[in-house]
Amino acid sequence: MSDNLQNRGQQDRSRINLHEKWEVQYWTKELGVTEEELAKAVEEAGSSSAEAVRQHLRGTRH
């Protein structure tokens, strides 16, 4: 199932899809990180869950 750009409801806000350029742009701005930092955080958090990535980033920033 492909990403429906017309549907930006809760499902899209709760997941980070690194394969969609517009999502990467949104999440880098939202989280205040670079594309590289975002990709690393998604990989290290073990999930594309936005909340898991937020928590991971909080833990890595002192």
Coordinates of all heavy atoms in Angstrom, one line a residue:
M1 N 0.8 -1.2 0.0 CA 0.0 0.0 0.0 C 0.9 1.2 0.0 O 1.8 1.4 0.8 CB -0.9 0.0 1.2 CG -1.9 1.1 1.3 SD -3.1 0.8 2.5 CE -2.6 2.0 3.8
S2 N 0.7 2.1 -1.0 CA 1.5 3.3 -1.0 C 1.0 4.4 -0.1 O -0.2 4.4 0.3 CB 1.6 3.8 -2.5 OG 0.3 4.2 -2.9
D3 N 1.8 5.4 0.1 CA 1.5 6.5 1.0 C 0.5 7.4 0.3 O 0.8 7.9 -0.8 CB 2.8 7.2 1.4 CG 2.6 8.0 2.7 OD1 1.6 7.9 3.3 OD2 3.6 8.8 3.0
N4 N -0.6 7.7 0.9 CA -1.6 8.6 0.3 C -1.3 10.0 0.8 O -1.5 10.3 2.0 CB -3.0 8.2 0.7 CG -4.1 9.1 0.1 OD1 -3.8 10.1 -0.4 ND2 -5.3 8.6 0.3
L5 N -0.8 10.9 -0.1 CA -0.5 12.2 0.3 C -1.7 13.1 0.7 O -1.5 14.1 1.4 CB 0.3 12.9 -0.8 CG 1.6 12.3 -1.2 CD1 2.2 13.1 -2.4 CD2 2.5 12.2 -0.1
Q6 N -2.9 12.6 0.4 CA -4.1 13.4 0.8 C -4.5 13.0 2.2 O -5.2 13.7 2.8 CB -5.2 13.0 -0.2 CG -5.0 13.4 -1.6 CD -4.6 14.8 -1.8 OE1 -5.2 15.7 -1.3 NE2 -3.5 15.0 -2.5
N7 N -4.0 11.9 2.7 CA -4.3 11.5 4.1 C -3.2 11.7 5.0 O -2.2 10.9 5.1 CB -4.7 10.0 4.1 CG -5.1 9.5 5.5 OD1 -5.3 10.2 6.4 ND2 -5.2 8.2 5.6
R8 N -3.2 12.8 5.7 CA -2.1 13.2 6.6 C -2.7 13.2 8.1 O -2.3 14.0 8.9 CB -1.5 14.5 6.3 CG -0.9 14.5 5.0 CD 0.0 15.7 4.7 NE 0.6 15.5 3.4 CZ 1.5 16.3 2.9 NH1 1.9 17.3 3.7 NH2 2.0 16.2 1.7
G9 N -3.5 12.2 8.4 CA -4.1 12.0 9.7 C -3.1 11.4 10.7 O -1.9 11.4 10.4
Q10 N -3.6 10.9 11.8 CA -2.8 10.4 12.9 C -1.8 9.3 12.4 O -0.7 9.3 12.9 CB -3.8 9.8 13.9 CG -3.0 9.2 15.1 CD -2.2 10.3 15.9 OE1 -2.6 11.4 15.9 NE2 -1.1 9.9 16.4
Q11 N -2.2 8.4 11.5 CA -1.3 7.4 11.1 C 0.0 7.9 10.5 O 1.1 7.5 10.9 CB -2.0 6.5 10.0 CG -1.1 5.3 9.6 CD -1.8 4.5 8.6 OE1 -2.9 4.8 8.1 NE2 -1.2 3.4 8.2
D12 N -0.1 9.0 9.7 CA 1.1 9.5 9.2 C 2.0 10.3 10.2 O 3.2 10.4 10.1 CB 0.8 10.5 8.0 CG 0.6 9.7 6.7 OD1 0.8 8.5 6.7 OD2 0.1 10.4 5.7
R13 N 1.3 10.9 11.2 CA 2.1 11.7 12.2 C 2.7 10.8 13.2 O 3.6 11.2 13.9 CB 1.1 12.7 12.9 CG 0.8 13.9 12.0 CD 0.0 14.9 12.9 NE -1.2 14.3 13.4 CZ -2.4 14.6 13.0 NH1 -2.6 15.4 12.0 NH2 -3.4 14.0 13.6
S14 N 2.3 9.5 13.3 CA 2.9 8.7 14.3 C 4.0 7.8 13.8 O 4.7 7.1 14.6 CB 1.8 7.8 14.9 OG 1.3 6.9 14.0
R15 N 4.3 7.9 12.5 CA 5.4 7.0 11.9 C 6.3 7.9 11.1 O 5.9 8.9 10.6 CB 4.8 6.0 11.0 CG 3.7 5.1 11.6 CD 4.1 4.1 12.6 NE 4.9 3.1 12.1 CZ 5.5 2.2 12.8 NH1 5.4 2.2 14.1 NH2 6.3 1.3 12.3
I16 N 7.5 7.5 11.0 CA 8.5 8.3 10.2 C 8.9 7.4 9.0 O 9.5 6.3 9.2 CB 9.8 8.6 11.0 CG1 9.4 9.6 12.2 CG2 10.8 9.3 10.1 CD1 10.5 9.9 13.1
N17 N 8.6 7.8 7.8 CA 9.0 7.1 6.6 C 10.1 7.8 5.9 O 10.0 8.8 5.3 CB 7.8 7.0 5.7 CG 8.0 6.2 4.4 OD1 9.2 5.9 4.1 ND2 7.0 6.0 3.6
L18 N 11.3 7.2 6.1 CA 12.5 7.8 5.5 C 12.6 7.7 4.0 O 13.5 8.3 3.3 CB 13.8 7.1 6.1 CG 14.0 7.3 7.6 CD1 15.2 6.6 8.1 CD2 14.1 8.8 7.9
H19 N 11.6 7.0 3.4 CA 11.6 6.8 1.9 C 10.8 7.9 1.2 O 10.8 7.9 0.0 CB 11.1 5.4 1.5 CG 11.9 4.3 2.1 ND1 13.2 4.0 1.7 CD2 11.6 3.5 3.1 CE1 13.6 3.0 2.4 NE2 12.7 2.7 3.3
E20 N 10.2 8.8 2.0 CA 9.4 9.9 1.4 C 10.1 11.2 1.7 O 10.2 11.6 2.9 CB 8.0 9.9 2.0 CG 7.1 8.7 1.6 CD 6.7 8.7 0.1 OE1 6.8 9.7 -0.5 OE2 6.3 7.6 -0.3
K21 N 10.6 11.9 0.7 CA 11.3 13.1 0.9 C 10.5 14.2 1.7 O 11.1 14.8 2.6 CB 11.7 13.7 -0.5 CG 12.6 14.9 -0.4 CD 13.9 14.6 0.1 CE 14.8 15.8 0.0 NZ 16.1 15.6 0.7
W22 N 9.2 14.3 1.4 CA 8.5 15.3 2.2 C 8.4 14.9 3.7 O 8.4 15.8 4.5 CB 7.1 15.5 1.6 CG 6.1 14.3 1.8 CD1 6.0 13.3 0.9 CD2 5.3 14.1 2.9 NE1 5.0 12.4 1.4 CE2 4.6 12.9 2.6 CE3 5.0 14.8 4.0 CZ2 3.6 12.4 3.5 CZ3 4.0 14.2 4.9 CH2 3.4 13.0 4.6
E23 N 8.4 13.6 4.0 CA 8.3 13.2 5.4 C 9.7 13.5 6.1 O 9.7 14.0 7.2 CB 8.0 11.8 5.5 CG 6.5 11.5 5.3 CD 6.0 10.2 6.0 OE1 6.5 9.9 7.1 OE2 5.2 9.5 5.4
V24 N 10.8 13.2 5.4 CA 12.1 13.5 5.9 C 12.2 15.0 6.2 O 12.7 15.4 7.3 CB 13.2 13.0 5.0 CG1 14.6 13.5 5.5 CG2 13.2 11.5 4.9
Q25 N 11.8 15.8 5.3 CA 11.8 17.3 5.5 C 11.0 17.7 6.7 O 11.4 18.5 7.5 CB 11.3 18.0 4.2 CG 12.3 17.9 3.1 CD 11.8 18.4 1.8 OE1 10.6 18.6 1.6 NE2 12.6 18.7 0.8
Y26 N 9.8 17.1 6.8 CA 8.9 17.5 7.9 C 9.5 17.1 9.2 O 9.6 17.9 10.2 CB 7.5 16.8 7.8 CG 6.7 16.9 9.0 CD1 6.0 18.0 9.3 CD2 6.7 15.9 10.0 CE1 5.2 18.2 10.4 CE2 5.9 16.0 11.1 CZ 5.2 17.1 11.3 OH 4.5 17.3 12.5
W27 N 10.0 15.8 9.3 CA 10.5 15.3 10.6 C 11.9 16.0 11.0 O 12.1 16.2 12.2 CB 10.7 13.8 10.6 CG 9.3 13.2 10.7 CD1 8.7 12.5 9.7 CD2 8.4 13.2 11.8 NE1 7.4 12.1 10.2 CE2 7.3 12.5 11.5 CE3 8.5 13.7 13.1 CZ2 6.2 12.3 12.4 CZ3 7.5 13.6 14.0 CH2 6.3 12.9 13.6
T28 N 12.7 16.3 10.0 CA 14.0 17.0 10.4 C 13.6 18.4 11.0 O 14.2 18.8 12.0 CB 14.9 17.2 9.2 OG1 14.3 17.8 8.1 CG2 15.5 15.8 8.8
K29 N 12.6 19.1 10.4 CA 12.2 20.4 11.0 C 11.6 20.2 12.3 O 11.8 20.9 13.3 CB 11.3 21.1 10.0 CG 10.9 22.5 10.4 CD 10.1 23.2 9.4 CE 9.7 24.6 9.9 NZ 8.8 25.2 8.9
E30 N 10.6 19.3 12.4 CA 9.9 19.0 13.6 C 10.8 18.6 14.8 O 10.6 19.1 15.9 CB 8.9 17.9 13.4 CG 8.1 17.5 14.6 CD 7.0 18.5 15.0 OE1 6.7 19.4 14.2 OE2 6.5 18.4 16.1
L31 N 11.8 17.8 14.5 CA 12.7 17.3 15.6 C 14.0 18.1 15.7 O 14.7 17.9 16.7 CB 13.0 15.9 15.3 CG 11.8 14.9 15.3 CD1 12.2 13.5 14.9 CD2 11.1 14.9 16.7
G32 N 14.2 19.0 14.8 CA 15.4 19.9 14.9 C 16.7 19.1 14.7 O 17.7 19.3 15.4
V33 N 16.7 18.2 13.7 CA 17.9 17.4 13.4 C 18.2 17.4 11.9 O 17.3 17.8 11.1 CB 17.7 15.9 13.9 CG1 17.5 15.8 15.4 CG2 16.5 15.3 13.2
T34 N 19.4 16.9 11.6 CA 19.7 16.8 10.1 C 19.1 15.5 9.6 O 18.7 14.6 10.4 CB 21.2 16.7 9.9 OG1 21.7 15.5 10.6 CG2 21.9 18.0 10.5
E35 N 19.2 15.3 8.3 CA 18.7 14.0 7.7 C 19.5 12.9 8.2 O 18.9 11.8 8.5 CB 18.8 14.1 6.2 CG 17.7 15.0 5.6 CD 17.7 15.0 4.0 OE1 18.1 14.0 3.5 OE2 17.3 16.0 3.4
E36 N 20.8 13.1 8.4 CA 21.7 12.0 8.8 C 21.3 11.6 10.3 O 21.3 10.4 10.7 CB 23.1 12.4 8.7 CG 23.6 12.5 7.3 CD 23.2 13.8 6.6 OE1 22.9 14.8 7.4 OE2 23.2 13.9 5.4
E37 N 21.1 12.6 11.1 CA 20.7 12.4 12.5 C 19.4 11.7 12.6 O 19.2 10.8 13.5 CB 20.7 13.7 13.3 CG 22.1 14.3 13.5 CD 22.0 15.7 14.1 OE1 21.1 16.5 13.7 OE2 22.9 16.1 14.9
L38 N 18.5 12.1 11.8 CA 17.1 11.4 11.8 C 17.3 10.0 11.4 O 16.7 9.1 12.1 CB 16.2 12.1 10.8 CG 14.8 11.5 10.7 CD1 14.0 11.6 12.0 CD2 14.0 12.2 9.6
A39 N 18.0 9.7 10.3 CA 18.2 8.3 9.9 C 18.8 7.4 10.9 O 18.4 6.3 11.2 CB 19.0 8.3 8.6
K40 N 19.8 8.0 11.6 CA 20.5 7.3 12.7 C 19.6 7.0 13.8 O 19.6 5.9 14.4 CB 21.8 8.1 13.1 CG 22.6 7.3 14.1 CD 23.8 8.1 14.5 CE 24.6 7.4 15.6 NZ 25.8 8.2 16.0
A41 N 18.8 8.0 14.2 CA 17.9 7.9 15.3 C 16.8 6.8 15.0 O 16.5 6.0 15.9 CB 17.2 9.2 15.7
V42 N 16.3 6.8 13.8 CA 15.3 5.8 13.4 C 15.9 4.4 13.5 O 15.4 3.5 14.0 CB 14.7 6.1 12.0 CG1 13.9 4.9 11.5 CG2 13.9 7.3 12.0
E43 N 17.2 4.3 13.0 CA 17.9 3.0 13.0 C 18.1 2.5 14.5 O 17.9 1.4 14.8 CB 19.2 3.1 12.3 CG 20.0 1.8 12.3 CD 21.3 2.0 11.5 OE1 21.4 2.8 10.6 OE2 22.3 1.3 11.9
E44 N 18.6 3.4 15.3 CA 19.0 3.1 16.7 C 17.7 2.9 17.6 O 17.8 2.1 18.5 CB 19.9 4.2 17.3 CG 21.3 4.1 16.6 CD 22.2 5.2 17.1 OE1 21.8 6.0 18.0 OE2 23.4 5.2 16.7
A45 N 16.7 3.6 17.3 CA 15.4 3.4 18.1 C 14.8 2.1 17.8 O 13.9 1.7 18.6 CB 14.5 4.6 17.9
G46 N 15.1 1.5 16.7 CA 14.6 0.2 16.3 C 13.2 0.3 15.9 O 12.5 -0.7 15.9
S47 N 12.7 1.4 15.5 CA 11.3 1.6 15.1 C 11.2 2.9 14.3 O 12.0 3.8 14.5 CB 10.4 1.7 16.3 OG 9.1 2.0 15.9
S48 N 10.2 2.9 13.4 CA 9.9 4.2 12.7 C 8.8 5.0 13.5 O 8.3 5.9 13.0 CB 9.5 3.9 11.3 OG 8.4 3.1 11.2
S49 N 8.5 4.5 14.7 CA 7.6 5.2 15.5 C 8.2 6.6 15.9 O 9.3 6.7 16.4 CB 7.3 4.4 16.8 OG 6.7 5.3 17.8
A50 N 7.4 7.7 15.6 CA 7.9 9.0 15.9 C 8.2 9.2 17.4 O 9.1 9.8 17.8 CB 6.9 10.0 15.4
E51 N 7.3 8.6 18.3 CA 7.5 8.7 19.7 C 8.8 8.0 20.1 O 9.6 8.5 21.0 CB 6.3 8.2 20.5 CG 6.4 8.5 22.0 CD 6.6 10.0 22.3 OE1 6.1 10.9 21.6 OE2 7.3 10.3 23.3
A52 N 9.1 6.9 19.6 CA 10.3 6.1 19.9 C 11.5 6.9 19.5 O 12.5 7.0 20.2 CB 10.3 4.7 19.3
V53 N 11.5 7.5 18.4 CA 12.6 8.4 17.9 C 12.7 9.6 18.7 O 13.9 10.0 19.1 CB 12.4 8.7 16.4 CG1 13.4 9.7 15.9 CG2 12.4 7.5 15.5
R54 N 11.7 10.2 19.1 CA 11.7 11.4 20.0 C 12.4 11.0 21.3 O 13.3 11.7 21.8 CB 10.3 12.0 20.3 CG 9.8 12.9 19.3 CD 8.5 13.5 19.8 NE 8.0 14.4 18.8 CZ 7.0 14.2 17.9 NH1 6.4 13.0 18.0 NH2 6.6 15.1 17.1
Q55 N 12.0 9.9 21.9 CA 12.6 9.5 23.2 C 14.1 9.2 23.0 O 14.9 9.5 23.9 CB 11.8 8.3 23.7 CG 10.4 8.6 24.2 CD 9.7 7.4 24.7 OE1 10.2 6.3 24.7 NE2 8.4 7.6 25.1
H56 N 14.4 8.5 21.9 CA 15.8 8.2 21.6 C 16.6 9.5 21.5 O 17.7 9.6 22.1 CB 16.0 7.4 20.4 CG 17.4 7.1 20.0 ND1 18.1 6.2 20.6 CD2 18.2 7.7 19.1 CE1 19.4 6.2 20.1 NE2 19.4 7.1 19.2
L57 N 16.1 10.5 20.8 CA 16.8 11.8 20.7 C 16.9 12.5 22.0 O 18.0 13.1 22.3 CB 16.1 12.6 19.6 CG 16.2 12.2 18.2 CD1 15.3 13.0 17.3 CD2 17.7 12.3 17.7
R58 N 15.9 12.4 22.8 CA 16.0 13.0 24.2 C 17.1 12.4 25.0 O 17.8 13.1 25.7 CB 14.7 12.9 24.9 CG 13.7 13.9 24.5 CD 12.4 13.8 25.4 NE 11.3 14.1 24.7 CZ 10.2 13.4 24.4 NH1 10.1 12.2 25.0 NH2 9.2 13.8 23.7
G59 N 17.2 11.1 24.9 CA 18.3 10.4 25.6 C 19.7 10.6 25.1 O 20.6 10.5 25.9
T60 N 19.8 11.0 23.9 CA 21.2 11.2 23.3 C 21.6 12.7 23.4 O 22.8 13.0 23.3 CB 21.3 10.8 21.8 OG1 20.3 11.6 21.1 CG2 21.0 9.3 21.6
R61 N 20.7 13.6 23.7 CA 21.0 15.0 24.0 C 21.1 15.3 25.4 O 20.2 14.9 26.2 CB 19.9 15.9 23.3 CG 19.9 15.8 21.8 CD 18.8 16.7 21.4 NE 18.6 16.5 19.9 CZ 17.6 16.9 19.2 NH1 16.6 17.5 19.8 NH2 17.5 16.7 17.9
H62 N 22.1 15.9 25.9 CA 22.3 16.1 27.3 C 22.1 17.6 27.6 O 22.4 18.5 26.9 CB 23.6 15.7 27.8 CG 23.8 14.2 27.6 ND1 23.0 13.2 28.0 CD2 24.8 13.5 26.9 CE1 23.4 12.0 27.7 NE2 24.5 12.2 27.0

